[in-house]
Amino acid sequence: MAGRRADRLRAAWWPVAAALALLAACQWLNRTSVEYLAAAAVATGAAAGGLRFVMPRGRRWAAAATGTLGALVLLAAYAQYALYRVDAAWPQIREALASDAVAALDQRVAGAVAEMRTAAGRALAAPEDTVAAFQALEQTVPEVGDAGVVLYEGGGPLAWAGRVHVPVDTLRDSVGVVRSSFYTSLYVTRSRGDRRAVVTVLLDATPPADRLTHPIAGEIAAAMGMPGFEFADRPAGPPAAGSAAWAPVAAGGRTLLYVRPAPVRMAGFRLEKLQRARSEVALLAALALVAFLIAAWRIERRLTRRLATVGVALACTALAPLGAFSNDSRLFDVSLYFTPIGGALTANAGALIITGALVLLTLLAAVRRLARRTPHAWWGLAVLAIAGLGPFLLRDLARGISIPIYGVNPSLWLIWEVAIFLAGCGVLLAGAAAGAAALGPGRGVPPWVGPALAAVAAILAPMTWEATGRWPWWYPIPWIVAIGALALGRRTRAIVSSAATVAALGATTLVWGATTRGRVELAEADVRGLGQTDPYVIRLVERFAGAVQNDPAPSATREWLLHA
């Protein structure tokens, strides 16, 4: 008896230790605390020690999960130390960051000028034929930043390629900087006979132009976690407190302009570090969790143990701050999908997809074994409950869809579709398994009846849609009948495909209804806004009218503004 108990404890060593390490790591993502990092490290060490007790059929996946957890702990420890350094030595970090940023910008500018000179020489050798010149210039555009090439011949432009953001008609032989209202560009010009080539590379862009372009300064600032750079033709006095000194940017033996990093705030820099660390650690945690599930299911075939591992995965999903990754993917954006039905497990589309996949995995493992031990009467009640409540549960899940102002594109539609589809598959497979257990083997309606009824219900959706943005009260009844027919279908190999077909039709209908309702609500809000005056417009007109009033020159615009 004692030996058997010892064997069970040794068999549970690795799964329990790995589960604790995963839970601690997900809690570290949520709190970024040293205590949870230490707990994850200890549990990972214990999991490594328990690998020798793992059965051979699951040892490879267990080793992969443990190794990923070890890498996770090291990466999280480095991130924790980096955050500590930001808190303890911020002035030194800020100074080093400014110095490194200016050095990186100098290096990029020097490299860009060298490429621009080469590109200008190649552009001068373009063919005289206009079409051939355009084709040749496409191959001369530098591959650094947003670059453009213009070839002039006889005083007029012959061909051009790339993107040119500033006026270049008056630029002559030199290396320099030209600025406009929104853009600052480096330029290089070279001449040969009556030909002149001008090559530009975008150095900096001010908002909102920085969202439409890829300037060199913006790339360096994003890579170093900085807000950007400030440029000036000459230093404007000594730097203010917390600001770096002006540094010259030189090329071709002369100073082009002066630069300094924009003031970096400690809170913003720390948040950027934290978000980057969370993204990297979360990726390792996801890989470790997948390897953990595969290893645990290969090691243990008992249903209760497998359900426990799925419970660990659901707990990790609930603990991890998935909403913090909304900048990385719209899957986790709560402004696009949110429903409080399942708490953190349905707080965004990504969480619902993960939860739906885990529930579906549980059902595939559980329904066959549970059906052997439960009386048929209980399974009949389960069929009635699932068929009656399933459509309303999925409808409530679909109500979490929020239509953004900028509209719905195919990728966003697919995110919602997959989330509702997985949830629907779980509901329908549970109903189908309950129906098969209640009727017994070889009994029930043909398996095609459920999908056929679901197709009819889906076709009725746009035909019965009301102007108020909803379906009539009776519309859920065809879906209840379709789910009931699927649940009472004969148990064949087609049961999974039948359930998937009904779930796909239901998800498409629900997402279509939610997006249509959202568009109606946005249109109603626009119509209501037509009768309201924007206070910002009033303030702008008042300021502009005040400026015009001081202008003694008479004009119709002035008279209109004064009387508006």
Side-chain angles (χ1 to χ4, degrees):
M1 182 67 69
R4 189 174 300 173
R5 182 179 300 175
D7 290 339
R8 286 199 298 266
L9 290 176
R10 282 193 290 267
W13 183 338
W14 181 86
V16 171
L20 292 176
L22 285 167
L23 293 172
C26 291
Q27 189 65 3
W28 182 87
L29 288 171
N30 195 14
R31 299 293 181 86
T32 348
S33 173
V34 177
E35 291 81 1
Y36 294 111
L37 178 58
V42 172
T44 301
L51 282 175
R52 65 178 183 272
F53 302 122
V54 175
M55 295 182 180
R57 61 173 177 264
R59 189 170 296 165
R60 181 176 301 176
W61 285 103
T66 306
T68 307
L69 284 171
L72 181 153
V73 169
L74 293 176
L75 184 60
Y78 176 78
Q80 193 79 51
Y81 175 73
L83 295 175
Y84 167 76
R85 284 278 300 160
V86 171
D87 295 334
W90 172 241
Q92 294 84 349
I93 291 177
R94 181 178 57 195
E95 183 177 352
L97 183 66
S99 177
D100 293 343
V102 171
L105 183 65
D106 281 338
Q107 184 178 2
R108 288 290 298 276
V109 167
V113 169
E115 290 191 32
M116 293 163 68
R117 285 173 171 163
T118 302
R122 294 169 59 191
L124 290 173
E128 295 184 0
D129 179 71
T130 303
V131 175
F134 270 98
Q135 295 175 349
L137 257 61
E138 289 287 346
Q139 309 299 323
T140 65
V141 179
E143 297 182 356
V144 52
D146 266 0
V149 181
V150 182
L151 177 62
Y152 293 86
E153 187 173 65
L158 173 66
W160 54 87
R163 301 179 65 185
V164 180
H165 302 87
V166 292
V168 297
D169 293 341
T170 60
L171 301 180
R172 292 295 182 266
D173 274 341
S174 63
V175 177
V177 172
V178 59
R179 309 180 73 174
S180 65
S181 300
F182 292 99
Y183 301 109
T184 300
S185 290
L186 299 168
Y187 72 87
V188 169
T189 66
R190 294 184 66 177
S191 300
R192 182 184 302 165
D194 63 344
R195 281 192 169 192
R196 177 169 55 95
V198 182
V199 182
T200 64
V201 170
L202 188 61
L203 179 62
D204 189 40
T206 58
D210 58 336
R211 299 184 180 181
L212 308 174
T213 56
H214 302 282
I216 293 175
E219 294 177 1
I220 294 174
M224 304 190 71
M226 299 171 49
F229 291 87
E230 297 175 357
F231 294 91
D233 295 331
R234 59 181 58 87
S243 299
W246 291 98
V249 177
R254 66 189 185 91
T255 299
L256 304 178
L257 76 170
Y258 291 85
V259 63
R260 68 179 179 185
V264 183
R265 306 301 177 189
M266 175 181 171
F269 184 78
R270 190 182 192 280
L271 180 60
E272 181 71 22
K273 285 278 189 182
L274 177 59
Q275 289 179 340
R276 188 173 301 179
R278 274 179 173 169
S279 299
E280 295 170 351
V281 173
L283 177 60
L284 290 178
L287 296 176
L289 182 58
V290 171
F292 167 77
L293 285 173
I294 296 175
W297 279 49
R298 290 179 67 89
I299 294 170
E300 188 58 64
R301 300 186 182 278
R302 280 177 287 187
L303 179 61
T304 54
R305 301 286 179 85
R306 289 187 169 185
L307 294 181
T309 59
V310 174
V312 171
L314 289 173
C316 290
T317 304
L319 287 175
L322 299 180
F325 308 124
S326 57
N327 291 334
D328 301 323
S329 174
R330 292 188 295 178
L331 275 172
F332 308 108
D333 193 343
V334 295
S335 66
L336 300 177
Y337 183 86
F338 172 78
T339 178
I341 294 176
L345 298 177
T346 58
N348 50 65
L352 181 58
I353 289 175
I354 296 172
T355 303
L358 292 173
V359 170
L360 190 60
L361 178 65
T362 303
L363 286 171
L364 291 175
V367 290
R368 181 176 298 178
R369 301 189 183 187
L370 293 177
R372 300 172 182 173
R373 304 178 181 179
T374 309
H376 290 186
W378 289 107
W379 287 113
L381 293 176
V383 170
L384 293 177
I386 293 171
L389 300 178
F392 300 100
L393 172 63
L394 297 177
R395 180 200 62 185
D396 291 342
L397 289 176
R399 285 177 175 173
I401 295 174
S402 298
I403 307 299
I405 297 177
Y406 54 81
V408 179
N409 55 18
S411 63
L412 187 55
W413 177 285
L414 187 61
I415 287 173
W416 293 328
E417 182 83 12
V418 172
I420 304 301
F421 169 76
L422 288 175
C425 275
V427 172
L428 295 175
L429 278 180
L439 296 176
R443 299 180 181 179
V445 299
W448 56 266
V449 175
L453 293 175
V456 172
I459 293 173
L460 289 175
M463 300 171 59
T464 58
W465 185 259
E466 297 179 349
T468 56
R470 63 184 65 184
W471 282 293
W473 65 268
W474 54 265
Y475 181 71
I477 295 177
W479 285 104
I480 294 175
V481 175
I483 295 175
L486 179 69
L488 299 177
R490 284 199 300 268
R491 186 64 173 270
T492 64
R493 293 183 178 180
I495 188 63
V496 175
S497 60
S498 299
T501 302
V502 176
L505 291 169
T508 303
T509 303
L510 289 171
V511 173
W512 177 84
T515 53
T516 304
R517 187 183 302 110
R519 291 190 182 98
V520 171
E521 293 174 354
L522 289 176
E524 291 176 347
D526 289 341
V527 172
R528 289 193 300 267
L530 295 176
Q532 301 175 358
T533 304
D534 192 340
Y536 295 102
V537 174
I538 295 177
R539 192 177 308 168
L540 180 61
V541 171
E542 289 176 349
R543 291 183 178 179
F544 189 52
V548 172
Q549 188 174 12
N550 297 327
D551 186 1
S555 66
T557 304
R558 178 177 182 272
E559 295 299 324
W560 179 83
L561 285 170
L562 292 177
H563 290 87

